[in-house]
Amino acid sequence: MRQEEIKTPLLSLAGWAIMSLCLYRFWSYCHLTIFEVFDLGWLIQTGAHIATKGIPHSDIFSWTFANRSFTAYQWLAELCLYGLYKTGGLWLIGLTASFIAAFLYLLIMPAIWFRLGIRAPIVFGVACLILTPHFFNARPQLFSYFFLLLTVLVFEYGKSNKNRIFLLLPIFALWANLHSFFLVGLLITLIYLSFSFKEFGIWKSLLCGLLCITCVLLNPYGIGLFEYLKTFVDGSQFLDIREVLPSWTDPSATFWFIYLLLCWTALVCGRKKISKSGLFVCFILSVMALFVRRYQSIAVVVTWLYFGQGLSSFKWALMPTSDTRRPAIIACSIVALIFPCFAWLKNFPNQERANEVFYEKNEAVLDIYHQLQSTYSGFCDPASGSWLIAKCYLPVFIDTRYDMYPKTFCKSVVKILKADKSWKATLEAHQAKMILVRDEYPLQAKLEEDEEWFPVVDNGRLTIWISTQEIHSEKELSYLHLENSSLKQTLKDKGAADSGLESAKTRCRWYFKTSFKVDKALAREKIRMALTLLPKEKQLNHRLRELNDDTESVLSR
């Protein structure tokens, strides 16, 4: 007895120590609720349209495909996001997403294993492996994580009362209006009903299955929702994006693969404690996640309970007494309530900081683009398009709703961003006279040496270019205070030096590179204009000497 009393505090300390690692990972991922969640812009504004005008049936954001059919299959989640945005902006959306992530990661999932008697160090040790950005992103999939867990729990803990399976009906009726992963829930339901029809009764299983399918039809599109979702798998959509690539191509998936290996080790060794339907569900979800990295997080959520059941077959994995289960769950509840609020307030003390992170400090460039938007039809990369939608700077060329635009059109956009040979012809076909592009794309480097496009403004992350057929001189931008003289003055202002310096550097690179493609008189003029911005730039001065020497040699002949 004395030995047991000594061991218990040590185990408790180990549990808290490893939990601190989970909290550290939570802290480091907290900003991902809104950072690089480009979909959030059009999700919010679609919700705004639904709240004021009803569910849209054609595109409301782009000028390229304004009349194309649009299916708001996440309409209820979009309405919720708009409600949060209207109440407290991006700050409140991020805080809410943090609470949801904490509720799932720091409370529900640990509580499931604690109820199975798993030791705290093991619970939080494995939890350290599973945290990914998908658990934080303020997107409708956050709803699906809870509904997937509920579906599994209804079947696993509903065996004592077989009528509990009918709790799935309201779940699916709500889920089908929130997120497309309800199809995964339907798949799990059909697997369970197929494997356990003798246990639940064949007629009850058939009735439950039919009613679940009926419930998902309670959406604004009815059976049409299934016809639309079919486009995600029939090859008609553009799916050349990271989240649908195989998991083995994901360099950040190392911890997930370790989790999967440990999970299947426990499932195989402890298979006597796991139902056949549960094992089959784990197999299906694991295969799905291996081939599509977006399913990594839902594979974790679905397999978590069965992983715990497998671990519970090992004595070394169990708590010494059942008395410690309830205190552990209470401790997790307290942490899940307090920590996300503390982490969010520390990282995002105000609305301005939330906007800065979401727009990645690009709001000033987006505002300039909006001022030019009424004059010039513009091309934008998908992420920038979603930022423009978030600010209601409409219409856009494209955004991250790849399911909305034709597959061939999306491919042509990718070719433009990669500066493919046909990029100019594609822009001309759409009569785009302005370009908004993030500096990371090859198109940015290509534009810096193209005489036909002039750099308006660059902050080091996002650049606006205008066709030189539309703007013949940088002086024409004086009304925006973006002509060379204003940029030169901006360089003296320390408060605005960052954006001014990047714009000056980009413009000077453009002057320098295009000086090789024009006659020498115009080339000298370009270099002189560049030197008004960066007079001490050695490469520019060297280029001007070359041009002057060439002129003198011609005159001497």
Side-chain angles (χ1 to χ4, degrees):
M1 185 71 180
R2 183 178 180 81
Q3 186 179 4
E4 191 67 40
E5 288 175 358
I6 294 173
K7 283 184 179 179
T8 302
L10 290 174
L11 289 171
S12 177
L13 287 173
W16 280 108
I18 300 176
M19 186 184 188
S20 66
L21 293 177
C22 293
L23 296 178
Y24 172 76
R25 293 205 71 194
F26 188 97
W27 176 281
S28 62
Y29 279 150
C30 187
H31 69 289
L32 295 176
T33 51
I34 56 175
F35 178 66
E36 290 191 345
V37 187
F38 303 117
D39 294 355
L40 192 54
W42 58 262
L43 287 168
I44 292 169
Q45 295 306 330
T46 303
H49 188 280
I50 293 169
T52 55
K53 300 178 182 179
I55 295 174
H57 294 281
S58 59
D59 188 34
I60 54 176
F61 299 131
S62 77
W63 60 268
T64 45
F65 291 92
N67 296 317
R68 185 175 171 83
S69 175
F70 174 59
T71 302
Y73 63 96
Q74 307 169 118
W75 72 272
L76 189 54
E78 290 162 343
L79 197 59
C80 292
L81 284 168
Y82 170 65
L84 290 171
Y85 182 78
K86 189 176 180 181
T87 304
L90 290 167
W91 187 88
L92 184 59
I93 289 177
L95 177 62
T96 304
S98 293
F99 269 113
I100 292 173
F103 194 59
L104 178 70
Y105 177 70
L106 298 176
L107 175 57
I108 294 180
M109 294 179 75
I112 289 172
W113 276 23
F114 284 140
R115 285 178 62 87
L116 292 169
I118 308 299
R119 293 174 182 263
I122 297 174
V123 173
F124 296 115
V126 176
C128 282
L129 300 174
I130 66 171
L131 197 62
T132 65
H134 290 296
F135 283 106
F136 287 88
N137 295 162
R139 295 170 63 182
Q141 65 194 29
L142 289 178
F143 295 107
S144 284
Y145 296 146
F146 287 99
F147 288 131
L148 284 167
L149 268 177
L150 278 174
T151 302
V152 170
L153 292 172
V154 164
F155 280 111
E156 284 296 314
Y157 293 111
K159 294 173 183 177
S160 58
N161 183 350
K162 297 172 184 178
N163 289 326
R164 286 182 182 175
I165 61 172
F166 291 103
L167 291 172
L168 294 171
L169 303 185
I171 290 174
F172 279 111
L174 183 60
W175 196 356
N177 293 282
L178 289 166
H179 193 238
S180 60
F181 280 175
F182 75 87
L183 291 173
V184 180
L186 272 182
L187 177 62
I188 293 171
T189 299
L190 294 176
I191 290 172
Y192 262 97
L193 293 177
S194 300
F195 274 84
S196 308
F197 69 90
K198 289 183 180 178
E199 186 176 346
F200 291 112
I202 186 168
W203 292 111
K204 187 171 286 187
S205 298
L206 285 171
L207 179 62
C208 181
L210 288 171
L211 289 175
C212 285
I213 294 172
T214 303
C215 284
V216 299
L217 296 176
L218 300 176
N219 66 79
Y221 306 97
I223 193 69
L225 179 62
F226 284 88
E227 294 175 4
Y228 172 74
L229 294 176
K230 182 171 68 71
T231 64
F232 283 88
V233 293
D234 66 4
S236 61
Q237 269 195 40
F238 175 77
L239 293 174
D240 189 15
I241 52 179
R242 283 182 300 177
E243 63 180 25
V244 297
L245 294 174
S247 288
W248 58 80
T249 65
D250 183 3
S252 64
T254 303
F255 286 148
W256 181 81
F257 277 108
I258 295 172
Y259 168 85
L260 195 66
L261 178 63
L262 294 174
C263 177
W264 273 101
T265 302
L267 291 175
V268 172
C269 295
R271 60 188 178 277
K272 291 183 179 179
K273 285 204 169 189
I274 305 168
S275 64
K276 290 181 181 178
S277 48
L279 286 171
F280 192 67
V281 165
C282 290
F283 173 75
I284 294 295
L285 266 295
S286 298
V287 171
M288 288 171 60
L290 282 171
F291 285 94
V292 180
R293 64 170 73 173
R294 187 183 182 186
Y295 295 143
Q296 289 175 11
S297 52
I298 66 170
V300 168
V301 170
V302 172
T303 59
W304 183 261
L305 171 64
Y306 309 111
F307 188 177
Q309 289 175 339
L311 280 176
S312 66
S313 63
F314 301 101
K315 289 185 178 179
W316 54 264
L318 298 176
M319 295 178 179
T321 63
S322 60
D323 296 339
T324 54
R325 299 179 187 181
R326 186 177 179 82
I329 294 173
I330 292 173
C332 286
S333 302
I334 295 170
V335 171
L337 283 172
I338 297 174
F339 190 76
C341 186
F342 170 73
W344 181 256
L345 289 174
K346 196 70 177 176
N347 284 286
F348 299 90
N350 50 48
Q351 187 70 255
E352 289 72 21
R353 174 59 180 160
N355 290 340
E356 183 181 88
V357 170
F358 175 71
Y359 292 107
E360 299 179 20
K361 300 181 180 180
N362 291 317
E363 284 191 272
V365 176
L366 295 172
D367 292 342
I368 293 170
Y369 182 86
H370 179 55
Q371 292 181 65
L372 295 166
Q373 211 171 12
S374 59
T375 307
Y376 311 103
S377 55
F379 167 87
C380 61
D381 65 78
S384 299
S386 293
W387 284 331
L388 290 170
I389 291 173
K391 294 180 76 67
C392 290
Y393 293 166
L394 305 174
V396 300
F397 188 90
I398 192 174
D399 54 273
T400 55
R401 297 171 302 155
Y402 300 110
D403 55 309
M404 213 299 298
Y405 299 94
K407 187 175 182 178
T408 52
F409 175 72
C410 292
K411 285 184 175 181
S412 70
V413 170
V414 172
K415 288 182 179 180
I416 292 172
L417 295 173
K418 289 182 177 178
D420 186 86
K421 292 180 181 179
S422 61
W423 70 274
K424 281 189 178 181
T426 307
L427 286 175
E428 288 173 4
H430 289 284
Q431 299 181 339
K433 304 299 182 182
M434 180 169 59
I435 294 175
L436 177 69
V437 63
R438 288 186 293 164
D439 291 7
E440 65 197 58
Y441 287 112
L443 177 63
Q444 174 73 4
K446 197 72 173 179
L447 289 167
E448 287 180 358
E449 56 187 36
D450 197 300
E451 172 69 12
E452 296 179 8
W453 292 91
F454 181 78
V456 176
V457 64
D458 180 11
N459 64 0
R461 297 171 296 276
L462 194 64
T463 306
I464 299 174
W465 298 80
I466 290 184
S467 169
T468 51
Q469 294 178 356
E470 302 296 322
I471 286 188
H472 306 287
S473 167
E474 50 84 25
K475 293 179 180 178
E476 294 179 40
L477 297 171
S478 59
Y479 73 101
L480 292 173
H481 304 291
L482 290 171
E483 78 280 14
N484 285 347
S485 57
S486 291
L487 278 182
K488 187 176 180 180
Q489 182 61 38
T490 300
L491 294 176
K492 299 177 182 179
D493 182 359
K494 293 182 180 179
D498 290 341
S499 60
L501 181 60
E502 290 301 329
S503 294
K505 284 181 176 179
T506 300
R507 200 168 284 186
C508 287
R509 283 196 299 270
W510 182 80
Y511 284 134
F512 177 79
K513 291 177 181 179
T514 58
S515 71
F516 293 94
K517 300 182 179 183
V518 295
D519 61 71
K520 290 177 182 177
L522 183 55
R524 280 197 303 275
E525 182 63 25
K526 283 177 175 285
I527 298 302
R528 288 192 184 108
M529 284 192 287
L531 286 169
T532 62
L533 293 171
L534 299 175
K536 295 181 180 180
E537 182 62 41
K538 292 181 180 179
Q539 200 171 17
L540 293 173
N541 282 289
H542 178 72
R543 175 66 176 147
L544 184 60
R545 284 195 297 271
E546 281 183 344
L547 291 167
N548 288 331
D549 290 344
D550 288 344
T551 303
E552 289 175 3
S553 64
V554 170
L555 291 173
S556 65
R557 292 196 195 102

